[in-house]
Amino acid sequence: KRQAPRRTCVGCRKVRPQDQLMRLTSGADGVSRVEGRRKGGGRGVYACPTAECLTAALRKGRLDHAFRRPTRGPAESVGEILKWWSAKETSIGGTSEGY
């Protein structure tokens, strides 16, 4: 039986199953975004969907290091991102759009 993919949270550095983490990607404009479908191309980093981990992940320098280039955090607040994420996770079928 094949094990589910595991990823490391950029906030707390714990390894967890990929489907329990939110994926952040960096756009061409240098701004990170939270992905809804986890299938976008390019480099992605993962964070636990908690305020502590997301705040740590968005701390200055963390995203720059993870994406290997200067990257700004999303325009939305941590609270807004987590509210969107929990609504997406509890909806039937979820959404394929990012935030």
Side-chain angles (χ1 to χ4, degrees):
K1 187 174 176 181
R2 187 172 170 188
Q3 191 176 20
R6 299 175 63 80
R7 299 291 182 261
T8 302
C9 170
V10 74
C12 67
R13 307 297 300 159
K14 290 185 180 174
V15 178
R16 301 184 188 277
Q18 181 177 348
D19 61 355
Q20 293 179 6
L21 302 171
M22 59 176 60
R23 183 172 193 255
L24 292 105
T25 58
S26 180
D29 57 358
V31 177
S32 63
R33 293 170 180 77
V34 177
E35 252 189 17
R37 16 181 188 106
R38 299 183 181 99
K39 294 185 192 259
R43 187 163 195 78
V45 298
Y46 294 84
C48 298
T50 64
E52 296 83 20
C53 286
L54 194 53
T55 300
L58 299 177
R59 191 171 298 136
K60 178 149 178 59
R62 222 22 104 95
L63 291 177
D64 296 347
H65 181 76
F67 286 119
R68 300 179 185 165
R69 66 179 183 159
T71 306
R72 293 187 314 273
E76 299 79 23
S77 70
V78 169
E80 290 172 327
I81 293 170
L82 292 174
K83 185 177 177 183
W84 171 81
W85 184 261
S86 64
K88 179 193 83 62
E89 290 295 306
T90 57
S91 68
I92 297 172
T95 178
S96 62
E97 297 299 317
Y99 195 23

